């Protein structure tokens, strides 16, 4: 309701047109979504050097595949390993890497997720269907005003013969936020 009220006010004052807002929403809903991120992950799974570039400078490596723009100017990619599982949150609001994941799901913006993921990540992940062994350390990344995070999940076993396109189809939005595994 607050967002709708703000949009109405901005429109009324002539600061934005409704078409402008609709076109941005449509672009992220229809054209820019988690498949961009999935392509980045699949490439990192098959190309060792790309993976190194991605972890060293996420923004530049993601731009190599043609993705970038608002809410993705300072990308940091964090890699899951058998020992460490990464998960992303924005405790302050709802910061999210739009160019690679599209628009955030509602639960990502909800106060319980934002408050609890930093306090009891293991419980929240279990409630979301991801039971991690006690031996796996959970690293929670809280988005700042500038930095947006993308989780690079582990490549699933038994996928050796798969093409980059087939691998990309295994990568879900939730796996790249860190609340699921591919
Ligand atoms: Fe935020």
């Amino acid at each position: 309701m607050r967002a709708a009220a703000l949009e109405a006010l901005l429109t009324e004052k002539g600061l934005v047109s409704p078409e402008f807002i609709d076109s941005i929403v449509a672009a992220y809903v229809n054209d820019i979504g988690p498949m961009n991120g999935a392509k980045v992950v699949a490439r990192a799974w098959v190309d060792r050097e790309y993976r190194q570039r991605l972890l060293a400078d996420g923004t530049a490596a993601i731009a190599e595949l043609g993705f970038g723009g608002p809410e993705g100017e300072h990308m940091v990619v964090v890699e899951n390993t058998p020992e460490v599982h990464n998960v992303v949150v924005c405790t302050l609001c709802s910061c999210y890497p739009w160019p690679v994941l599209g628009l955030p799901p509602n639960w990502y913006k909800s106060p319980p997720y934002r408050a609890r993921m930093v306090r009891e990540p293991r419980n929240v992940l279990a409630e979301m269907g991801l039971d991690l062994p006690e031996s796996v350390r959970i690293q929670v990344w809280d988005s700042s005003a500038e930095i947006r995070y993308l989780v690079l999940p582990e490549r699933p076993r038994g996928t050796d013969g798969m093409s980059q396109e087939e691998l990309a189809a295994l990568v879900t939005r939730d796996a790249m936020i860190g609340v699921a595994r591919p």
Side-chain angles (χ1 to χ4, degrees), residues 90-96 143-144 148:
C90 176
T91 54
L92 192 64
C93 43
S94 57
C95 298
Y96 193 73
S143 311
S144 72
R148 301 291 174 269

Side-chain angles (χ1 to χ4, degrees), residues 5-176:
L6 193 59
E7 180 180 350
L9 195 62
L10 289 168
T11 307
E12 203 177 289
K13 290 183 176 293
L15 294 170
V16 297
S17 71
E19 294 76 24
F20 173 73
I21 293 174
D22 290 346
S23 70
I24 289 180
V25 172
Y28 282 94
V29 169
N30 302 322
D31 306 326
I32 305 166
M35 271 319 289
N36 286 358
K39 286 175 189 161
V40 171
V41 169
R43 172 78 183 273
W45 281 348
V46 300
D47 182 339
R48 190 188 155 88
E49 287 180 5
Y50 181 76
R51 181 174 139 267
Q52 283 167 351
R53 292 200 297 280
L54 185 65
L55 295 172
D57 183 345
T59 314
I62 288 166
E64 285 181 40
L65 302 195
F67 310 132
E71 299 296 314
E73 289 104 338
H74 302 281
M75 290 294 308
V76 171
V77 179
V78 288
E79 182 185 37
N80 284 350
T81 68
E83 292 80 34
V84 180
H85 179 87
N86 296 284
V87 60
V88 181
V89 66
C90 176
T91 54
L92 192 64
C93 43
S94 57
C95 298
Y96 193 73
W98 294 8
V100 280
L101 292 186
L103 296 177
N106 281 332
W107 55 258
Y108 183 87
K109 300 184 275 187
S110 73
Y113 176 82
R114 288 157 40 202
R116 293 182 61 221
M117 186 52 88
V118 286
R119 290 183 187 160
E120 40 168 346
R122 201 172 293 273
N123 290 339
V124 177
L125 289 175
E127 286 167 24
M128 295 179 86
L130 182 60
D131 273 304
L132 292 170
E134 284 296 326
S135 60
V136 176
R137 189 167 68 81
I138 300 172
Q139 175 76 57
V140 181
W141 299 87
D142 188 7
S143 311
S144 72
E146 290 181 336
I147 298 176
R148 301 291 174 269
Y149 295 95
L150 182 75
V151 174
L152 174 58
E154 284 181 273
R155 179 170 172 167
R157 289 188 182 86
T159 59
D160 286 358
M162 294 178 98
S163 70
Q164 200 172 315
E165 288 70 30
E166 288 169 325
L167 287 168
L170 301 177
V171 185
T172 62
R173 174 196 71 193
D174 288 4
M176 293 180 281

